[in-house]
Amino acid sequence: MEIPRLKPRGETASSARVDFSEMTPELLPFLGQAAYIQLEVFENLSRAVSTAPTLTAKEGLSAAAGIALAKHHVLIAEIRRRDAKPDEVMAPFRSAIDRYRAATTGSDWYELLLSSYLTAGMLDDFFIRLADGLPGDSGPWVAELLGRDAGTDVLVSELQAGIAADSRLGSRLAMWGRRLVGDTLLIARSALHGTGPETPVESRIEPVFTELVAAHTRRMDLLGLTA
Amino acid sequence: MEIPRLKPRGETASSARVDFSEMTPELLPFLGQAAYIQLEVFENLSRAVSTAPTLTAKEGLSAAAGIALAKHHVLIAEIRRRDAKPDEVMAPFRSAIDRYRAATTGSDWYELLLSSYLTAGMLDDFFIRLADGLPGDSGPWVAELLGRDAGTDVLVSELQAGIAADSRLGSRLAMWGRRLVGDTLLIARSALHGTGPETPVESRIEPVFTELVAAHTRRMDLLGLTA
């Protein structure tokens, strides 16, 4: 069972999509933001490990945390390989992403699981899409890295089991899932600063955001939640 | 800069040491407890990542967290390879180690760092020593795994910098370091249940604990703390 992803690059694309791929993000800031987001995903997942009610859940979550951390370290290594300092490259994104994490951690274990599942899914989709415009041969490489199986089956199965056992949890999580979308799109939008000489216009972003929300809706459906 | 370890196996050993190595821990419980301890180390380190004041510290700590998690996963894989279920094998150790973790987390980031450094060091030393008596060829393999560089240089450097900048922190951490010893030795002792037909006697354990405390004192010295 995989996170439903956006269509892979190369499939028939809308004209809006082509516009979006013409934006050329600068490589280092892109890597820095993507790296810090993976670190944030890792932090959420490792928090979920610590508060997991069963050892089975702990096991699955720790594997997912390890995958996010490995992605982070690959991105960090790439920043170093380009003679830049990871902390300096990530610094500009730190406060916004820290605030985002605080706002999306949730009030209990299930909200944390849902955040980890939905926000990592949306942000991976977004950065994979944005990678289209990276200079040189970095795009396909980064897209492949971010698109690797994130080990999130455990999130889906734990959420499904929790929701099946308690219908009120389902209603609460449906609301929580809807709340996450806005904050996540703001983080995604912030990645578009400095993506080229012309400021990206709403008409270009909008179709991509529509696709992100559609993928989000499919994830909610998979959990039996109304988006 | 490495954690000062106990002398490697094979060096001139005291008679007490030979006695200790004659204890034969059962393999699966040993692997289960060692695996759960590595998960606990990971949880402490990932908590330290989340609360780190600088991105440089975050980077180093996340690498150390990744190493602990990788050791955990290797042990888990070995449990599975022996057709046992990791959650069942770890379960008997869960509540004691969870309580231990709660008691040793500390009240701020520096106490957490010191715990991560000192308790992981003592427990790795202890389990490496106990591995001597494992049946079959598991001993050397496990000892090598647990003895691998834990990436804890960052703990030492952050602690040294913090202590250098604030002498009151040094006094507080010295007390905290002393408190950690007792709880850690209790966890170590609990690993000796079921290590053979005869209950291990105090006279056998005592010399090993003396060595553990000596290594602990060297770690405290390295930080400029009075043990």
Side-chain angles (χ1 to χ4, degrees), chain A residues 44-45 48 61 100 104-106 108-122 152 154-156 158-160 163 169-181 184 216 219-226:
Chain A
N44 272 343
L45 288 170
L61 289 167
Y100 170 67
T104 58
T105 297
D108 70 357
W109 191 65
Y110 285 109
E111 289 189 2
L112 179 58
L113 292 193
L114 189 63
S115 285
S116 298
Y117 177 56
L118 295 176
T119 65
M122 289 183 82
T152 47
V154 61
L155 300 172
V156 173
E158 290 291 337
L159 284 164
Q160 285 173 336
I163 291 164
L169 178 64
S171 320
R172 179 157 61 83
L173 289 180
M175 289 220 314
W176 178 242
R178 289 194 282 273
R179 268 192 52 189
L180 295 169
V181 177
T184 305
H216 166 81
R219 290 187 192 96
M220 293 283 274
D221 283 347
L222 183 61
L223 300 172
L225 300 177
T226 310

Side-chain angles (χ1 to χ4, degrees), chain A residues 24-172:
Chain A
T24 52
E26 283 181 63
L27 183 58
L28 280 173
F30 177 97
L31 293 174
Q33 189 172 18
Y36 201 70
I37 285 174
Q38 291 300 323
L39 188 61
E40 181 261 335
V41 172
F42 162 75
E43 290 182 25
N44 272 343
L45 288 170
S46 58
R47 187 188 173 103
V49 170
S50 292
T51 52
T54 68
L55 284 172
T56 309
K58 242 187 216 296
E59 266 320 289
L61 289 167
S62 78
I67 292 171
L69 187 60
K71 289 181 182 178
H72 167 74
H73 285 142
V74 170
L75 292 165
I76 289 296
E78 182 67 14
I79 291 170
R80 281 218 180 82
R81 206 176 63 79
R82 292 170 183 277
D83 294 325
K85 294 189 170 174
D87 54 341
E88 289 173 8
V89 175
M90 291 190 293
F93 307 104
R94 185 177 185 186
S95 64
I97 296 175
D98 283 355
R99 273 197 308 277
Y100 170 67
R101 187 167 97 82
T104 58
T105 297
S107 63
D108 70 357
W109 191 65
Y110 285 109
E111 289 189 2
L112 179 58
L113 292 193
L114 189 63
S115 285
S116 298
Y117 177 56
L118 295 176
T119 65
M122 289 183 82
L123 290 173
D124 281 350
D125 279 350
F126 181 76
F127 277 82
I128 288 169
R129 175 63 57 85
L130 193 58
D132 271 357
L134 284 175
D137 55 357
S138 298
W141 171 85
V142 170
E144 188 278 324
L145 176 72
L146 295 180
R148 277 180 211 166
D149 179 17
T152 47
D153 286 5
V154 61
L155 300 172
V156 173
S157 59
E158 290 291 337
L159 284 164
Q160 285 173 336
I163 291 164
D166 176 3
S167 64
R168 281 182 312 175
L169 178 64
S171 320
R172 179 157 61 83

Side-chain angles (χ1 to χ4, degrees), chain B:
Chain B
M1 192 162 41
E2 254 185 41
I3 300 184
R5 294 227 168 263
L6 299 185
K7 285 178 235 154
R9 301 170 345 131
E11 285 190 15
T12 321
S14 67
S15 62
R17 175 136 180 211
V18 174
D19 286 351
F20 193 68
S21 73
E22 279 167 359
M23 292 194 226
T24 52
E26 285 181 61
L27 183 58
L28 280 174
F30 177 98
L31 293 175
Q33 189 172 19
Y36 201 70
I37 285 173
Q38 290 300 324
L39 187 61
E40 181 261 336
V41 173
F42 162 75
E43 290 182 24
N44 272 344
L45 288 170
S46 58
R47 189 186 172 105
V49 171
S50 292
T51 52
T54 67
L55 284 173
T56 309
K58 243 186 216 296
E59 265 320 289
L61 290 167
S62 78
I67 292 171
L69 187 60
K71 289 181 182 178
H72 167 75
H73 284 144
V74 170
L75 292 164
I76 288 297
E78 182 66 15
I79 291 170
R80 281 219 179 83
R81 206 176 62 80
R82 292 169 183 276
D83 293 327
K85 293 190 170 174
D87 53 341
E88 290 173 7
V89 175
M90 290 190 293
F93 307 104
R94 185 178 185 186
S95 64
I97 296 175
D98 283 354
R99 272 199 307 276
Y100 170 68
R101 187 167 98 82
T104 57
T105 298
S107 63
D108 71 356
W109 190 66
Y110 285 107
E111 289 189 3
L112 179 58
L113 293 193
L114 189 63
S115 285
S116 298
Y117 177 56
L118 295 176
T119 66
M122 290 183 82
L123 290 173
D124 280 351
D125 278 351
F126 180 78
F127 277 84
I128 288 169
R129 176 63 57 86
L130 192 58
D132 270 358
L134 283 176
D137 56 358
S138 298
W141 171 85
V142 169
E144 188 277 325
L145 175 73
L146 296 179
R148 279 181 209 166
D149 179 15
T152 47
D153 286 5
V154 61
L155 300 172
V156 173
S157 59
E158 291 291 337
L159 284 164
Q160 284 173 335
I163 292 164
D166 176 4
S167 64
R168 281 181 312 174
L169 179 64
S171 319
R172 179 156 61 84
L173 289 179
M175 289 220 314
W176 177 241
R178 289 193 283 274
R179 267 192 54 187
L180 294 169
V181 177
D183 286 339
T184 305
L185 292 182
L186 279 177
I187 287 289
R189 182 183 296 264
S190 73
L192 297 174
H193 289 300
T195 50
E198 76 280 41
T199 312
V201 288
E202 292 302 310
S203 60
R204 285 183 176 178
I205 301 172
E206 224 35 63
V208 174
F209 278 14
T210 303
E211 287 184 49
L212 291 180
V213 171
H216 167 82
T217 302
R218 288 196 293 278
R219 289 189 192 95
M220 294 282 276
D221 283 347
L222 184 60
L223 300 172
L225 299 177
T226 310

